[in-house]
Amino acid sequence: MKDYKFWFCTGSQDLYGDECLRKVAEHSAKIVEALNASGNLPFEVVLMPTLISQASIRKTFNDANNDDACAGVITWMHTFSPAKMWILGLKEFRKPLCHLHTQFNEEIPYATIDMDFMNENQSAHGDREYGHIVSRMGIERKIIVGHWAGESVQRQLGSWMRTAVGVIESSHIRVCRFGDNMNNVAVTEGDKVEAQIKFGWEIDHYCVNDLVDYVDAVPEGAVNALVDEYYDKYKIIDEGRDPEEFRKHVAVQAQQEIGIEKFLVDNNYHAIVTHFGMLGGLKQLPGLSIQRLMEKGYGFGAEGDWKVAAMVRMMKLMTADIKGAKGTSMMEDYTYNLVPGEEGILQAHMLEVCPSVADGDIGIKVCPLSMGNREDPARLVFTSKTGPAVACSLVDLGTRFRLIINVVDCKKVKEPMPKLPVGTAFWTPRPNLEVGAAAWILAGGAHHTAFSYDLTAGQMTDWADAMGIESVVIDEKTDIRTFKNELKWNEAAYK
Ligand code: MN
């Protein structure tokens, strides 16, 4: 993860005289200083010289394009800045754009206000001129309205920064597939060429035995050291299995964790896809190993699901270093609880749920898989945190991608599930299971999701907008009739 910066560009013009422009620059500096000191922004804001000419605007946007550390530009018109000056710069700009519609003073200075003050503090006026040209040019941007010192504005800016990093980082994601998508499955398929055009993802394919060579080459000492670490960190739930045999099964996953990570690092991949039906010389389906790699920040998709793998990676980058983060993982809709008043969906996978979402103790179990023909894999088992979260499904509709975002409320299940040997979560989709599940199915949402407690539906729709794809949100406001109409209108809008 890079140490990204965001450029703060204040617009004005040269009609106001030096004294006014000096104040504009002074105010901008104060705002940037306060934003950086607020603790509400995950990345630093860097003040640029006030932009008063077409040439300087064009040069600044191109410099931003060419600076790898710049993840986006925040614009604000302190005074009036004739917007035709902005056309060429905006046209050439290729990074996330935010329009911070703010004003230096919070309150009208009733006793002293005169026309000089009005002319100096007219973002209500200048930001409309600027916003008009951005809209006319059809350029995607985030608009945040309010006083810059307010916590709500700062938090919105902070969460947009994370979305912007998702947009920038998306084009660096490289997904490594070991095995193709599972035969006959529709929803994990998709157009990899279009995904690279839209999202920038590089999606490659290797024979699983290329990976086996890496796993087999891991020295025994390294494996034993990692197994010791597992035994220190996790609760061993051997359920009467022979302790030595249990440890040998765990060691297979430790060897995989080291071998897979080395393969990913050597070949510069950030996300990985496996398939339980294509394991080549692997002794076990990667379970614990994949869970640990996801926790380290790698993306993952099961059964060849490269869309989920890339989304999980991207969402892990968007949430990197959040204080008190609750976790991000691949998930799968598995089983319902349909008891009236307790409706929800039990989430899990065969093995691969990221322990970043775990609540409380994490255990290791070794159990048979009901599918495939390998030895019993070791896996981490846990239940997940409570609270609101987003579950996202990116689907390929043949002519375009659609991102489906459901706001869900994670809960504890009523009773323990001692015989279920996987990491789980349990949630009720908003607005409720009946409407939420119906809307999800109408939108064509998959059973695999990229899930996070640490992102909002707004951040995900902003990301989709920046990528130029359709997104739909299922939340507390969703009703089926309106939702069906929205899907119909989108059909026309995204043709
Ligand atoms: Mn699956």
Side-chain angles (χ1 to χ4, degrees), residues 30-43 45 74 98 100 102 144-162 459:
K30 275 191 184 154
I31 292 175
V32 167
E33 199 182 323
L35 290 175
N36 285 327
S38 71
N40 289 324
L41 305 186
F43 299 96
V45 180
I74 302 159
C98 175
L100 179 60
T102 191
I144 298 171
V145 180
H147 193 244
W148 48 274
E151 184 163 340
S152 159
V153 164
Q154 293 176 352
R155 289 202 180 278
Q156 287 178 64
L157 190 58
S159 74
W160 169 77
M161 284 177 161
R162 291 193 173 277
Q459 284 174 298

Side-chain angles (χ1 to χ4, degrees), residues 59 147 156 328 343 394 459:
K59 181 171 186 313
H147 193 244
Q156 287 178 64
T328 299
E343 295 96 340
L394 180 69
Q459 284 174 298

